[in-house]
Amino acid sequence: MHKLLPASLALALALPLGVHADEASDIRALRQEIVTMRAQYEARLQALERRLNAAEAAVAASGATAVAASTAAAASTAAAGPTAAAGPTAAATAPPAAGAAPAAAVGAAPAGNEPPMVVQAPAAGTSPSAPEPPRSAAGANAFNPSIALILSGLYTRTSQDPANYAITGIQLPRGAEVGPGTRGFSLAESELALAASIDPWLRGAASISLHADNTVSVEEAFVRTTSFGNGFSLKAGRFYSGIGYLNPQHSHTWDFVDNPLAYQAFLDTQYGDDGLQLTWIAPIDQYVELGAELGRGRSFPGSNTGRNGAGMTALTAHTGGDIGESSNWRAGLSVLNAKATDQTLDAMNAQGVGVVNAFTGTTQVLVVDAVWKWAPNGNATRTNFKLQGEYLRSTRDGSLVYDVDGANSPGAYRAVQSGWYLQGVYQFMPRWRVGLRTEQIDPGSPDYGSNAASFADTGYRPRKSTLMFDFNPSEFSRLRLQFAQDRSREGVVDNQVFLQYQMSLGAHGAHAY
Amino acid sequence: MSFCRLLFSTLVAPLALLALPAHAALRVLACEPEWGALARELGGELVDVSVATNALQDPHQIQAKPSLIARTRNADLVVCTGAELEVGWLPVLLQQSGNEKVQPGQPGNFSAADFVRKLDVPNRLDRSQGDVHAAGNPHIQTDPRNIARVASALGARLQQVDPQHASQYARLQADFDKRWQQAIARWTAQGASLKGQSVVSQHKAFVYLYDWLGLKEVAVLEPKPGVEPTASHLQEVLSTLKASPARMVVFAAYQDPRASEWLSRNAGIPAVRVPFTVGGTDGAKDLFGLFDDTLARLLAAQAGR
């Protein structure tokens, strides 16, 4: 222990010292840089606004004057070569002046890096047909967050009534959004996403979900640091937990219409919470990401109670890398712990009658996830393949009140249940993909304590197979046809057909791996 | 005690790794091969360059894969094209990296397209026009004069992020600039005969190349930018060529050659596969090779297959 202490202190100090020495010398320069850049970007945005207005006005007024003006501007920027193709755009940016780079800019002089957008600002403004736009409006809107709207709709046909949907052996929370949803035509999850930098240190994002029943919910709304450095990021607000592979992904990025049964059974489709998330990327060539989360425990398997402490904690670890040029992978292990108090659950008793139970206790969900992606030479444009699988194991420990509306009989409860899925999606030609998913749930043999007689244990393992085709006219649109044979309920086969569209409008989305 | 050791080794070992590379070369992550090659020219031994994509990948469609997140996290300088070329993946890399040095607006974040005059800036921003880039056509590296402009900005940026070696960067830059200007003069002379020739492109990837050499683009095989060529559109292009013939059809090494080959067969004009970036063909081993080989291929096609 005595030997360890000085050694670890020395090592722990070595890192921050190096970093601080670096920062001390640069911090003023950086601040200066930020100020300069802010001014430059403001100027550039205003220039762009003006150009846009000028172009619109020019189109309206037969275009002649605007072209003349911009040709003049192009000439003034001394651009090399004829600029016929550039048209009114020539005023965009001038090449940097030849001497822009001082030979020895030791003091990180911002002059050497000034993006050259200063000259053109008046160019478009000089056009007589382009009146000065109201400056304040342009300035105010220029800082609007990026907006993306996801539109999605669904036609569903099922051979069983979705109202009776259940997963045999699994007690689902009241009002759980599981199963195929509603039959016929419906609005699927449409979503509005906004994001922008808040200041040089923070970024914010929100996604607001519009549901078929005219309700609106906040899927995510968080702020995230961009300036911690050393691989750390802190997120605060409402967000999807980073456990597993599918959990943090929004529904419009899923490869199937619905989430796997294991996610439906153990995480109520997807676990989101209000709290904090700290992630760290290891400073090595191998990708290693560690994450820790603290949350309210807002949703199943937690329950929304007014405690002071955290109702949810989670730890995540992911690693991944490349295998040659053509394929890459990611794998992870995550643990989520959540507390629940008087959580009402729908269940089936030994007589096959639906009852409502109440669970109080803790739940641990362990998630093992792996994904492997392949594309020839890493070029996914023509063909690509994605194989992914996850294993979830839920351990619930506490007490269960059986039939709160009737017998109201409390007893101990411990259940270890698990589920997995494996899916492959193959793009066999540009725009067209086909996917296959197979999955199973193991409800285990829960220990109901004194309520044991009220429950039957048939040993049935719910399972489901799904086949999916999708057609993507562009990066921004998708049409999907999905068939599923759902054997979630013992003795019942539900044949499901889905036809779905998903469209993305506005800001170009950047998707996580 | 053994637990303490375990804790020590798991917690401190990564810290040791963290401390070691701090004094090694400046770590540069380039989004595309041409900027990786340029950083090597301008940084020499002072930089450790890794490139996120290869010449056979479509730079629009890259995934924010784990190895790239790790490399972004460890980079001192990220050199990308910008102009929204990497909009589908670079923001994710930057956000997930937890690396404050390379965030947008920081000196460690360099976008080449900020330093050149962009062509094809759309007058109307609407996705009915395909995957258009609001900032203009991002494929700026096909004009060597753009490379020169980016080089002077990148040289200055290297001096800024690694001021201890500023004089060495300045020397490397002066040397590169001299060789590059000579090469541009040579290429421009070589390519003089191409001026005014009509060409067809598979993707609107060569506007800067055409602007430099004075080539005329009479048709594009993609009906809209980023939309795969369709049979009906190819037929349209073919009939356009009857009225205004073209000398060749040009496609980039990363693209599926079938559309260009189809047109080549049916219109009887050569299909020219150009490297597009460093590594796209065997001849394009570095930036000089990129233009040597591009010109050689265009001239060979012009000379008659």
Side-chain angles (χ1 to χ4, degrees), chain A residues 1 4 8 11 15 30 33 37 41 44 51 79-83 86 88-89 93 95-96 101-106 108 112-113 116 203 224 226-227 229-233 280-285 287 320-322 325 328-330 373 377-379 381-382 430-431 475-476 506 508-513, chain B residues 1 4-5 8 12 14-19 54 56-58 61 63-67 69-71 73-74 87-89 91-92 95-100 103 105-107 113-121 123 127 131 145 149 152-153 156-157 159-160 163 166 170 173 211 227-228 230 254 256 258:
Chain A
M1 210 52 201
L4 287 178
S8 52
L11 274 161
L15 154 77
L30 285 179
E33 182 89 359
M37 284 205 160
Y41 276 88
R44 174 185 281 185
R51 274 181 43 221
T83 57
T89 67
T93 41
V106 183
N113 294 282
R203 195 177 161 74
R224 182 175 185 169
T226 56
S227 55
N230 292 320
F232 286 100
S233 305
W280 180 67
I281 313 266
I284 48 176
D285 289 340
Y287 166 78
D322 294 344
E325 289 283 7
N328 45 72
W329 61 280
R330 197 188 87 150
K373 296 185 185 183
N377 272 315
N379 185 5
T381 318
R382 276 202 64 72
R431 301 171 159 202
E475 223 183 310
F476 308 99
H508 191 305
H511 293 309
Y513 180 69
Chain B
M1 193 63 194
C4 280
R5 277 208 192 112
F8 174 81
V12 174
L15 283 178
L17 286 166
L18 191 72
N54 70 37
L56 299 180
Q57 297 172 349
D58 182 346
Q61 299 191 12
Q63 292 215 327
K65 57 184 184 174
S67 62
I69 297 173
R71 287 196 260 168
R73 187 252 182 267
N74 295 322
V87 69
W89 49 285
V92 177
Q95 281 161 32
Q96 296 203 348
S97 69
N99 181 352
E100 84 286 14
Q103 297 302 319
Q106 297 295 327
D114 288 352
F115 302 94
V116 304
R117 176 178 56 89
K118 282 175 286 301
L119 304 178
D120 275 354
V121 181
N123 282 326
R127 293 245 165 81
D131 190 10
R145 298 168 305 177
R149 287 169 194 138
S152 75
R157 188 64 65 91
Q159 295 181 27
Q160 187 187 355
Q173 190 183 344
D211 180 53
V227 177
E228 287 282 320
T230 58
Y254 75 84
D256 183 0
R258 282 188 289 187

Side-chain angles (χ1 to χ4, degrees), chain A residues 23-407:
Chain A
E23 276 172 6
S25 66
D26 278 337
I27 213 151
R28 281 186 60 188
L30 285 179
R31 227 166 249 159
Q32 184 64 40
E33 182 89 359
I34 288 164
V35 171
T36 323
M37 284 205 160
R38 200 177 283 153
Q40 288 170 344
Y41 276 88
E42 212 149 19
R44 174 185 281 185
L45 283 167
Q46 282 167 5
L48 283 171
E49 284 275 343
R50 238 174 268 143
R51 274 181 43 221
L52 185 64
N53 282 322
E56 278 169 353
V59 168
S62 91
T65 42
V67 171
S70 62
T71 316
S76 76
T77 58
T83 57
T89 67
T93 41
V106 183
N113 294 282
E114 254 171 49
M117 77 287 280
V118 215
V119 224
Q120 314 78 1
T126 54
S127 164
S129 63
E132 274 282 299
R135 255 174 176 267
S136 58
N141 287 330
F143 289 98
N144 277 354
S146 72
I147 300 173
L149 178 66
I150 306 294
L151 293 181
S152 182
L154 201 55
Y155 170 77
T156 308
R157 184 185 174 89
T158 63
S159 63
Q160 303 289 333
D161 186 352
N164 301 326
Y165 192 82
I167 303 174
T168 298
I170 303 290
Q171 303 199 16
L172 293 167
R174 289 241 88 175
E177 286 179 24
V178 296
T182 176
R183 283 165 154 175
F185 292 101
S186 64
L187 185 71
E189 199 165 276
S190 299
E191 181 187 306
L192 187 66
L194 303 118
S197 296
I198 296 166
D199 58 24
W201 307 280
L202 292 170
R203 195 177 161 74
S207 48
I208 291 143
S209 183
L210 316 168
H211 304 278
D213 56 0
N214 282 342
T215 56
V216 170
S217 66
V218 178
E219 276 193 338
E220 292 198 291
F222 60 81
V223 296
R224 182 175 185 169
T225 61
T226 56
S227 55
F228 262 21
N230 292 320
F232 286 100
S233 305
L234 181 68
K235 208 187 244 189
R238 175 170 295 184
F239 53 84
Y240 285 130
S241 167
I243 56 171
Y245 177 71
L246 272 181
N247 196 72
Q249 298 190 9
H250 283 247
S251 56
H252 66 267
T253 64
W254 297 349
D255 290 322
F256 291 84
V257 171
D258 45 8
N259 237 3
L261 288 179
Y263 268 86
Q264 299 190 17
F266 307 129
L267 296 170
D268 194 11
T269 304
Q270 200 168 12
Y271 189 80
D273 208 347
D274 300 352
L276 297 169
Q277 180 193 58
L278 182 69
T279 55
W280 180 67
I281 313 266
I284 48 176
D285 289 340
Q286 174 76 18
Y287 166 78
V288 175
E289 186 189 270
L290 305 178
E293 296 169 16
L294 270 182
R296 180 179 177 82
R298 186 171 62 90
S299 54
F300 182 84
S303 74
N304 202 4
T305 56
R307 61 177 85 80
N308 279 319
M312 178 282 288
T313 57
L315 293 172
T316 60
H318 286 97
T319 184
D322 294 344
I323 308 168
E325 289 283 7
S326 298
S327 58
N328 45 72
W329 61 280
R330 197 188 87 150
L333 180 68
S334 322
V335 184
L336 176 100
N337 288 291
K339 293 179 191 156
T341 308
D342 295 327
Q343 180 180 63
T344 50
L345 301 169
D346 283 326
M348 199 75 86
N349 67 12
Q351 287 75 43
V353 179
V355 291
V356 176
N357 303 327
F359 170 75
T360 300
T362 59
T363 308
Q364 181 183 77
V365 182
L366 176 89
V367 189
V368 181
D369 65 279
V371 58
W372 176 74
K373 296 185 185 183
W374 170 89
N377 272 315
N379 185 5
T381 318
R382 276 202 64 72
T383 57
N384 62 71
F385 179 69
K386 179 178 174 188
L387 182 70
Q388 86 188 50
E390 290 186 75
Y391 168 80
L392 283 80
R393 196 186 68 178
S394 158
T395 308
R396 309 206 87 185
D397 209 344
S399 61
L400 188 77
V401 179
Y402 166 70
D403 193 8
V404 288
D405 304 322

Side-chain angles (χ1 to χ4, degrees), chain B residues 74-223:
Chain B
N74 295 322
D76 299 308
L77 176 63
V78 170
V79 181
C80 295
T81 300
E84 299 164 28
L85 178 64
E86 301 97 350
V87 69
W89 49 285
L90 186 60
V92 177
L93 293 183
L94 296 178
Q95 281 161 32
Q96 296 203 348
S97 69
N99 181 352
E100 84 286 14
K101 288 182 283 189
V102 298
Q103 297 302 319
Q106 297 295 327
N109 184 304
F110 181 90
S111 293
D114 288 352
F115 302 94
V116 304
R117 176 178 56 89
K118 282 175 286 301
L119 304 178
D120 275 354
V121 181
N123 282 326
R124 190 163 149 257
L125 275 182
D126 192 314
R127 293 245 165 81
S128 65
Q129 304 306 305
D131 190 10
V132 292
H133 297 274
N137 192 306
H139 306 297
I140 58 169
Q141 82 283 4
T142 55
D143 179 347
R145 298 168 305 177
N146 283 346
I147 301 280
R149 287 169 194 138
V150 174
S152 75
L154 183 58
R157 188 64 65 91
L158 285 167
Q159 295 181 27
Q160 187 187 355
V161 294
D162 188 12
Q164 293 104 308
H165 300 113
S167 56
Q168 283 154 278
Y169 289 120
R171 257 199 312 281
L172 285 162
Q173 190 183 344
D175 173 56
F176 173 77
D177 203 44
K178 200 170 121 209
R179 287 183 292 136
W180 195 252
Q181 293 303 339
Q182 286 166 356
I184 290 182
R186 188 177 80 234
W187 293 321
T188 308
Q190 278 173 5
S193 65
L194 291 164
K195 190 164 186 180
Q197 301 281 333
S198 297
V199 293
V200 179
S201 323
Q202 179 154 333
H203 174 64
K204 266 190 120 18
F206 311 105
V207 285
Y208 298 93
L209 177 73
Y210 300 161
D211 180 53
W212 168 48
L213 293 173
L215 289 162
K216 278 196 307 200
E217 185 177 70
V218 291
V220 182
L221 300 188
E222 286 182 353

